[in-house]
Amino acid sequence: MKKLIAVLIILLLGLAFAQNTGSFRYSYEDSNNELFREYAQILSQRQFFESISQNLNKAIALPYDIGLVAVQCDTINAFWSPDNKAIVVCYEMLDILVDAFRRDINDQQELSNAVFGALEFIFYHELGHALIDIFEIPSTGREEDAVDQFSTLFLLDTDVGISAALSGASFFYTIGEASGGSVQDLAFWDEHSLNQQRFYNIVCLVFGSNPNQYQNLVMQNS
Ligand SMILES: [Zn+2]
Protein backbone atom coordinates (compact mmCIF):
# COMPACT_ATOMS: atom_id res chain seq x y z
CA MET A 1 0.00 0.00 0.00
CA LYS A 2 2.76 2.46 0.96
CA LYS A 3 4.51 1.62 -2.32
CA LEU A 4 1.33 2.40 -4.25
CA ILE A 5 0.93 5.76 -2.53
CA ALA A 6 4.62 6.58 -3.04
CA VAL A 7 4.28 5.82 -6.77
CA LEU A 8 1.12 7.94 -6.91
CA ILE A 9 2.83 10.89 -5.20
CA ILE A 10 5.92 10.61 -7.45
CA LEU A 11 3.67 10.51 -10.52
CA LEU A 12 1.70 13.53 -9.33
CA LEU A 13 4.85 15.49 -8.48
CA GLY A 14 6.40 14.64 -11.82
CA LEU A 15 3.31 15.74 -13.67
CA ALA A 16 3.01 18.76 -11.41
CA PHE A 17 6.36 20.09 -12.51
CA ALA A 18 5.50 19.35 -16.12
CA GLN A 19 2.10 21.05 -16.15
CA ASN A 20 1.12 23.79 -13.77
CA THR A 21 -1.44 26.05 -15.32
CA GLY A 22 -4.63 25.34 -13.40
CA SER A 23 -6.05 25.59 -9.91
CA PHE A 24 -8.97 24.36 -7.84
CA ARG A 25 -11.84 26.88 -7.86
CA TYR A 26 -14.97 26.54 -5.76
CA SER A 27 -18.58 27.66 -5.79
CA TYR A 28 -21.69 27.12 -3.69
CA GLU A 29 -24.56 27.29 -6.15
CA ASP A 30 -27.90 28.87 -5.30
CA SER A 31 -31.04 26.73 -5.09
CA ASN A 32 -34.79 27.30 -5.05
CA ASN A 33 -34.97 24.85 -2.14
CA GLU A 34 -34.83 26.67 1.21
CA LEU A 35 -33.01 23.83 2.99
CA PHE A 36 -30.38 23.60 0.26
CA ARG A 37 -29.85 27.38 0.43
CA GLU A 38 -29.20 26.86 4.14
CA TYR A 39 -26.69 24.08 3.34
CA ALA A 40 -24.92 26.43 0.91
CA GLN A 41 -24.70 29.06 3.63
CA ILE A 42 -23.36 26.57 6.21
CA LEU A 43 -20.77 25.19 3.76
CA SER A 44 -19.65 28.73 3.00
CA GLN A 45 -19.52 29.71 6.69
CA ARG A 46 -17.45 26.60 7.46
CA GLN A 47 -15.20 27.54 4.50
CA PHE A 48 -15.55 23.91 3.41
CA PHE A 49 -14.21 24.31 -0.13
CA GLU A 50 -12.01 27.32 0.78
CA SER A 51 -9.75 25.34 3.10
CA ILE A 52 -9.75 22.24 0.87
CA SER A 53 -8.87 24.24 -2.26
CA GLN A 54 -6.16 26.20 -0.42
CA ASN A 55 -4.46 22.97 0.64
CA LEU A 56 -4.90 21.28 -2.73
CA ASN A 57 -3.59 24.29 -4.66
CA LYS A 58 -0.40 24.08 -2.59
CA ALA A 59 -0.06 20.31 -3.04
CA ILE A 60 -1.17 19.58 -6.62
CA ALA A 61 -0.29 21.42 -9.81
CA LEU A 62 -3.07 20.99 -12.36
CA PRO A 63 -2.94 21.13 -16.14
CA TYR A 64 -6.23 23.10 -16.10
CA ASP A 65 -8.76 24.55 -13.64
CA ILE A 66 -10.91 22.11 -11.65
CA GLY A 67 -14.21 23.22 -10.12
CA LEU A 68 -15.37 22.23 -6.65
CA VAL A 69 -19.10 22.73 -6.87
CA ALA A 70 -21.88 22.37 -4.30
CA VAL A 71 -25.20 22.29 -6.14
CA GLN A 72 -28.75 20.92 -6.20
CA CYS A 73 -28.71 17.80 -8.43
CA ASP A 74 -32.20 16.35 -7.81
CA THR A 75 -30.46 13.09 -6.95
CA ILE A 76 -28.31 11.89 -4.04
CA ASN A 77 -24.77 12.00 -5.33
CA ALA A 78 -21.23 13.34 -5.29
CA PHE A 79 -19.16 12.76 -8.42
CA TRP A 80 -16.29 13.73 -10.68
CA SER A 81 -17.59 15.23 -13.90
CA PRO A 82 -14.94 14.90 -16.66
CA ASP A 83 -17.10 16.95 -19.05
CA ASN A 84 -17.37 19.91 -16.68
CA LYS A 85 -13.94 19.32 -15.12
CA ALA A 86 -15.55 19.58 -11.70
CA ILE A 87 -16.02 17.63 -8.50
CA VAL A 88 -19.71 17.99 -7.77
CA VAL A 89 -21.16 17.64 -4.28
CA CYS A 90 -24.95 17.56 -4.38
CA TYR A 91 -26.90 19.22 -1.56
CA GLU A 92 -28.96 16.01 -1.59
CA MET A 93 -25.81 14.12 -0.47
CA LEU A 94 -25.47 16.46 2.49
CA ASP A 95 -29.12 15.85 3.28
CA ILE A 96 -28.68 12.07 3.38
CA LEU A 97 -25.66 12.46 5.70
CA VAL A 98 -27.72 14.59 8.09
CA ASP A 99 -30.51 11.97 8.00
CA ALA A 100 -28.11 9.09 8.64
CA PHE A 101 -26.23 10.65 11.55
CA ARG A 102 -29.31 12.21 13.16
CA ARG A 103 -30.51 8.72 14.07
CA ASP A 104 -27.69 8.26 16.60
CA ILE A 105 -26.37 11.73 17.42
CA ASN A 106 -28.37 14.30 19.38
CA ASP A 107 -25.67 16.84 20.16
CA GLN A 108 -25.68 19.54 17.47
CA GLN A 109 -21.92 20.09 17.42
CA GLU A 110 -21.21 16.36 17.30
CA LEU A 111 -23.77 15.95 14.51
CA SER A 112 -22.22 18.77 12.53
CA ASN A 113 -18.69 17.32 12.92
CA ALA A 114 -19.89 13.87 11.79
CA VAL A 115 -21.80 15.23 8.77
CA PHE A 116 -19.01 17.48 7.48
CA GLY A 117 -16.35 14.90 8.34
CA ALA A 118 -18.12 12.28 6.25
CA LEU A 119 -18.65 14.85 3.49
CA GLU A 120 -14.93 15.52 3.51
CA PHE A 121 -14.22 11.78 3.18
CA ILE A 122 -16.64 11.59 0.23
CA PHE A 123 -15.03 14.67 -1.33
CA TYR A 124 -11.53 13.14 -1.23
CA HIS A 125 -12.95 9.89 -2.64
CA GLU A 126 -14.17 11.93 -5.64
CA LEU A 127 -10.84 13.76 -5.80
CA GLY A 128 -9.23 10.33 -6.19
CA HIS A 129 -11.43 9.66 -9.26
CA ALA A 130 -10.57 13.12 -10.61
CA LEU A 131 -6.79 12.65 -10.24
CA ILE A 132 -6.91 9.18 -11.81
CA ASP A 133 -8.74 10.67 -14.78
CA ILE A 134 -6.76 13.92 -15.14
CA PHE A 135 -3.30 12.34 -14.83
CA GLU A 136 -4.29 8.97 -16.35
CA ILE A 137 -3.01 7.17 -13.26
CA PRO A 138 -3.52 3.40 -13.34
CA SER A 139 -5.27 2.12 -10.22
CA THR A 140 -4.52 -1.28 -8.79
CA GLY A 141 -7.61 -3.35 -8.10
CA ARG A 142 -11.05 -1.83 -8.26
CA GLU A 143 -11.02 1.93 -8.73
CA GLU A 144 -13.75 2.46 -6.10
CA ASP A 145 -11.63 0.65 -3.49
CA ALA A 146 -8.49 2.53 -4.57
CA VAL A 147 -10.13 5.94 -4.12
CA ASP A 148 -11.58 4.96 -0.71
CA GLN A 149 -8.00 4.10 0.27
CA PHE A 150 -6.72 7.33 -1.27
CA SER A 151 -9.27 9.39 0.69
CA THR A 152 -8.44 7.66 3.97
CA LEU A 153 -4.68 7.96 3.49
CA PHE A 154 -5.02 11.61 2.47
CA LEU A 155 -6.95 12.30 5.69
CA LEU A 156 -4.62 10.35 7.99
CA ASP A 157 -2.25 13.33 8.25
CA THR A 158 -4.19 15.21 10.93
CA ASP A 159 -6.43 14.37 13.91
CA VAL A 160 -9.30 16.27 12.29
CA GLY A 161 -8.72 14.29 9.10
CA ILE A 162 -8.76 10.98 10.98
CA SER A 163 -12.07 11.95 12.58
CA ALA A 164 -13.37 12.73 9.08
CA ALA A 165 -12.26 9.32 7.77
CA LEU A 166 -13.94 7.61 10.73
CA SER A 167 -17.11 9.65 10.11
CA GLY A 168 -17.02 8.39 6.52
CA ALA A 169 -16.67 4.83 7.84
CA SER A 170 -19.47 5.41 10.29
CA PHE A 171 -21.74 6.64 7.49
CA PHE A 172 -21.18 3.46 5.47
CA TYR A 173 -21.84 1.35 8.57
CA THR A 174 -25.07 3.25 9.35
CA ILE A 175 -26.52 3.01 5.84
CA GLY A 176 -25.42 -0.62 5.64
CA GLU A 177 -27.28 -1.42 8.85
CA ALA A 178 -30.31 0.66 7.85
CA SER A 179 -30.71 -1.09 4.50
CA GLY A 180 -31.08 -4.40 6.42
CA GLY A 181 -32.40 -7.19 4.26
CA SER A 182 -30.89 -10.56 3.59
CA VAL A 183 -27.54 -11.43 2.06
CA GLN A 184 -29.29 -11.95 -1.29
CA ASP A 185 -30.40 -8.29 -1.21
CA LEU A 186 -26.85 -6.95 -0.97
CA ALA A 187 -25.48 -5.16 -4.04
CA PHE A 188 -22.81 -7.70 -5.03
CA TRP A 189 -23.05 -6.39 -8.60
CA ASP A 190 -22.14 -2.86 -7.61
CA GLU A 191 -18.81 -1.26 -8.57
CA HIS A 192 -18.44 -0.17 -4.92
CA SER A 193 -17.59 -2.62 -2.17
CA LEU A 194 -20.45 -3.37 0.21
CA ASN A 195 -21.08 -0.64 2.80
CA GLN A 196 -19.86 -2.82 5.65
CA GLN A 197 -16.69 -3.67 3.71
CA ARG A 198 -16.03 0.02 3.08
CA PHE A 199 -16.51 0.64 6.82
CA TYR A 200 -14.02 -2.06 7.81
CA ASN A 201 -11.49 -1.08 5.15
CA ILE A 202 -11.36 2.54 6.36
CA VAL A 203 -11.21 1.55 10.04
CA CYS A 204 -8.44 -0.95 9.24
CA LEU A 205 -6.29 1.76 7.59
CA VAL A 206 -6.84 4.17 10.51
CA PHE A 207 -5.98 1.42 13.02
CA GLY A 208 -2.89 0.40 11.02
CA SER A 209 -1.64 4.01 10.96
CA ASN A 210 -1.07 3.82 14.73
CA PRO A 211 -2.17 0.53 16.35
CA ASN A 212 -1.36 1.72 19.88
CA GLN A 213 -3.38 4.91 19.59
CA TYR A 214 -6.35 3.29 17.83
CA GLN A 215 -6.49 0.03 19.77
CA ASN A 216 -10.03 0.88 20.85
CA LEU A 217 -11.18 0.49 17.22
CA VAL A 218 -10.54 -3.27 17.34
CA MET A 219 -11.52 -4.02 20.94
CA GLN A 220 -14.63 -6.10 21.40
CA ASN A 221 -17.81 -4.13 22.22
CA SER A 222 -16.12 -0.78 21.74
ZN1 LIG B 1 -16.44 6.50 -6.47
Side-chain angles (χ1 to χ4, degrees):
M1 175 61 63
K2 276 189 176 160
K3 265 188 195 164
L4 172 70
I5 295 301
V7 169
L8 187 67
I9 289 169
I10 289 165
L11 270 171
L12 284 175
L13 284 174
L15 287 161
F17 285 117
Q19 312 166 319
N20 179 15
T21 53
S23 56
F24 290 94
R25 297 171 186 277
Y26 60 84
S27 67
Y28 307 104
E29 298 298 323
D30 202 5
S31 163
N32 52 15
N33 179 309
E34 199 179 328
L35 180 62
F36 294 168
R37 278 205 302 276
E38 201 181 316
Y39 287 162
Q41 212 170 18
I42 295 170
L43 283 166
S44 172
Q45 279 163 358
R46 290 183 72 95
Q47 301 195 309
F48 185 78
F49 281 150
E50 283 89 331
S51 52
I52 285 175
S53 59
Q54 254 175 26
N55 290 335
L56 291 181
N57 281 328
K58 278 186 224 154
I60 303 169
L62 295 168
Y64 41 78
D65 286 349
I66 298 297
L68 313 180
V69 184
V71 66
Q72 177 176 350
C73 307
D74 296 326
T75 183
I76 301 161
N77 208 355
F79 58 96
W80 160 242
S81 167
D83 292 343
N84 297 314
K85 296 186 171 43
I87 297 170
V88 179
V89 173
C90 305
Y91 294 132
E92 290 84 350
M93 186 76 233
L94 195 47
D95 209 29
I96 212 77
L97 290 173
V98 173
D99 264 5
F101 283 115
R102 210 163 29 196
R103 291 174 207 166
D104 295 321
I105 303 175
N106 293 319
D107 179 77
Q108 201 56 37
Q109 188 57 48
E110 208 185 318
L111 176 65
S112 169
N113 289 343
V115 166
F116 290 100
L119 191 66
E120 205 171 336
F121 175 86
I122 291 167
F123 171 82
Y124 282 113
H125 170 106
E126 298 308 330
L127 175 68
H129 285 304
L131 295 177
I132 284 173
D133 184 33
I134 295 164
F135 295 112
E136 297 177 14
I137 301 166
S139 70
T140 54
R142 307 203 306 173
E143 182 170 321
E144 292 300 335
D145 290 345
V147 295
D148 267 359
Q149 290 158 5
F150 171 80
S151 179
T152 310
L153 294 171
F154 206 94
L155 289 166
L156 281 180
D157 260 357
T158 63
D159 288 344
V160 176
I162 288 171
S163 296
L166 291 174
S167 293
S170 186
F171 171 63
F172 293 125
Y173 186 84
T174 305
I175 56 172
E177 288 289 295
S179 60
S182 63
V183 172
Q184 286 92 330
D185 294 331
L186 293 172
F188 292 108
W189 43 264
D190 196 79
E191 60 191 335
H192 299 89
S193 288
L194 300 172
N195 287 313
Q196 284 87 346
Q197 287 178 305
R198 298 180 78 180
F199 163 77
Y200 282 110
N201 287 338
I202 297 166
V203 169
C204 189
L205 286 172
V206 173
F207 169 73
S209 71
N210 191 338
N212 287 333
Q213 189 174 342
Y214 298 110
Q215 211 168 17
N216 65 316
L217 292 175
V218 293
M219 302 260 291
Q220 250 186 341
N221 302 323
S222 63

